[in-house]
Amino acid sequence: MAGLTGVNKSLVIFAALVIGLAGIKAASVIVIPFVLAGFIAIICNPLLSFFGRYKIPKGIAIMLVMLMVVGVGVSLGGLVGQSLTDFSQDLPQYKAQLKEEFIWLVDVAASYNILINKEQLISMFDPGKMIDVATGMLTGLGGVMANLFLIILTVVFMLFEGPMLSHKIHMALDDPDMKMKQIDRFLNSINSYLAIKTVVSLGTGLLAALLLWTLNVDYFVLWGVIAFMFNYIPNIGSIIAAIPAVLLALITQGPLIAGFVGAGYLTINTVMGNIVEPKYMGKGLGLSTLVVFLSLIFWGWLLGTVGMLLSVPLTMIVKIALETSEEGRWLATLLGNGEELEGSKE
């Protein structure tokens, strides 16, 4: 009887999860701006704390933070939007050149008795579509930002409510004495993770743009923004972000510059991802490569472009939440990259 009760409980939880996901999918038009606003609010929270240390009133501090965010966002959005428009106009020409380079490589392979069917290979593996993936995701994000006023308004209210969030959660979970410290650990871990990840991603984007500007690669601002955004997706994101810049360098400046671009991206992502980020973030917050890939698919299906770009932060929030409870710690271990197990052996 107890086993039957356990099975029924599991079925109810699973059914509730499916219904909840279906509801989020159906209401994605409302959910996506809210998720993006929450993400921006968490990133802005350290700035708010910085102003608070100088005794600046909260209302003025929030106004200053939002002016900074809107100013940077509008300026960068204008530059990226113009670059994206110009690049879209030149894209057919770039694709044609890329196809010619691809055919040339096939001919070189044929000279070494490596026979490849050109038409069949191009139909299966169109190099031009690699550029479409990155620019298409950026265009999709631009469509979400059409709700800019709603997002900004939501961020402002979230920043005002932020300091009371911890107390509200304690009260909701019947913990008026604030004894459930795992709740505070959960909120602090999310703030810390997203703040560090954003700073590292910003550094990655700036270095990538500087590299491409130095090598005189077209649309370096656009590729820098893509490198910043895709750095939230470890492993896979850095590859997707590098491909358009490398291919553009190949067709406009030749294999040598393209090689420098590829080597530069590899160096930047190795240093930022394997040295800088672990130094400040510490171990135990990583996700396995398989989980990263699956989360990209899942959140992309659920929330579109925003879900794909924020797939890892969203999955990290789930993982941190699981780590703060005894019942969910085993699932958090499955989502991890194995560093926790190595640490326990040491």
Side-chain angles (χ1 to χ4, degrees):
M1 188 70 179
L4 184 61
T5 304
V7 171
N8 288 338
K9 183 179 178 181
S10 300
L11 288 174
V12 169
I13 293 173
F14 179 74
L17 183 62
V18 170
I19 293 171
L21 291 176
I24 292 172
K25 180 72 174 174
S28 59
V29 176
I30 300 172
V31 173
I32 290 173
F34 179 77
V35 170
L36 197 57
F39 177 71
I40 295 172
I42 293 173
I43 292 174
C44 292
N45 197 52
L47 280 175
L48 208 60
S49 301
F50 172 78
F51 286 129
R53 285 198 291 268
Y54 290 93
K55 308 299 181 183
I56 297 176
K58 188 175 181 180
I60 297 176
I62 290 176
M63 185 177 68
L64 289 173
V65 169
M66 294 313 302
L67 284 174
M68 290 170 59
V69 170
V70 173
V72 172
V74 170
S75 302
L76 198 58
L79 286 172
V80 172
Q82 186 59 49
S83 298
L84 195 57
T85 301
D86 295 341
F87 180 73
S88 298
Q89 293 174 350
D90 296 333
L91 190 56
Q93 177 186 347
Y94 288 144
K95 282 186 175 181
Q97 290 178 270
L98 191 58
K99 190 174 181 180
E100 290 177 6
E101 294 284 347
F102 198 67
I103 292 172
W104 175 79
L105 289 174
V106 173
D107 291 336
V108 170
S111 66
Y112 290 94
N113 295 323
I114 303 174
L115 302 178
I116 304 172
N117 188 304
K118 297 177 186 177
E119 289 75 16
Q120 185 178 3
L121 188 62
I122 290 175
S123 64
M124 294 171 58
F125 181 73
D126 184 0
K129 289 181 179 177
M130 298 180 190
I131 299 178
D132 290 338
V133 171
T135 55
M137 290 181 71
L138 199 59
T139 304
L141 184 64
V144 174
M145 293 305 290
N147 297 315
L148 185 61
F149 179 73
L150 174 62
I151 292 172
I152 291 173
L153 202 60
T154 307
V155 170
V156 170
F157 284 120
M158 284 182 172
L159 290 175
F160 271 111
E161 292 284 334
M164 294 183 287
L165 180 61
S166 175
H167 182 71
K168 285 183 176 181
I169 294 176
H170 278 282
M171 294 298 291
L173 297 177
D174 195 23
D175 182 40
D177 297 328
M178 311 287 281
K179 293 181 179 179
M180 296 172 66
K181 298 299 181 185
Q182 64 267 32
I183 296 174
D184 300 314
R185 286 200 302 268
F186 166 61
L187 295 174
N188 291 334
S189 296
I190 291 174
N191 284 326
S192 175
Y193 170 76
L194 287 180
I196 294 170
K197 190 66 179 177
T198 299
V199 171
V200 172
S201 297
L202 184 61
T204 301
L206 288 173
L207 289 173
L210 181 62
L211 168 72
L212 297 174
W213 175 75
T214 304
L215 296 175
N216 201 29
V217 177
D218 294 338
Y219 309 111
F220 62 89
V221 174
L222 177 63
W223 309 130
V225 171
I226 287 178
F228 160 70
M229 295 171 63
F230 281 49
N231 194 64
Y232 286 102
I233 309 171
N235 306 322
I236 304 169
S238 58
I239 296 172
I240 298 174
I243 287 174
V246 172
L247 291 178
L248 185 62
L250 175 66
I251 59 181
T252 56
Q253 301 196 50
L256 181 61
I257 299 299
F260 281 133
V261 171
Y265 265 86
L266 181 63
T267 303
I268 291 169
N269 284 288
T270 299
V271 172
M272 299 300 285
N274 297 330
I275 298 175
V276 177
E277 188 174 306
K279 179 181 178 181
Y280 292 100
M281 196 172 292
K283 294 185 177 181
L285 287 177
L287 297 171
S288 74
T289 306
L290 176 62
V291 170
V292 169
F293 180 70
L294 293 178
S295 68
L296 185 68
I297 296 172
F298 172 75
W299 291 109
W301 164 79
L302 191 65
L303 299 175
T305 302
V306 172
M308 294 181 75
L309 293 174
L310 300 183
S311 59
V312 171
L314 289 170
T315 306
M316 278 303 311
I317 290 172
V318 174
K319 182 174 182 283
I320 292 169
L322 291 170
E323 285 176 338
T324 57
S325 66
E326 292 292 335
E327 297 82 2
R329 197 162 292 166
W330 65 274
L331 186 53
T333 303
L334 291 178
L335 293 175
N337 57 9
E339 289 181 351
E340 299 94 333
L341 297 176
E342 291 176 6
S344 62
K345 289 179 182 178
E346 293 174 359

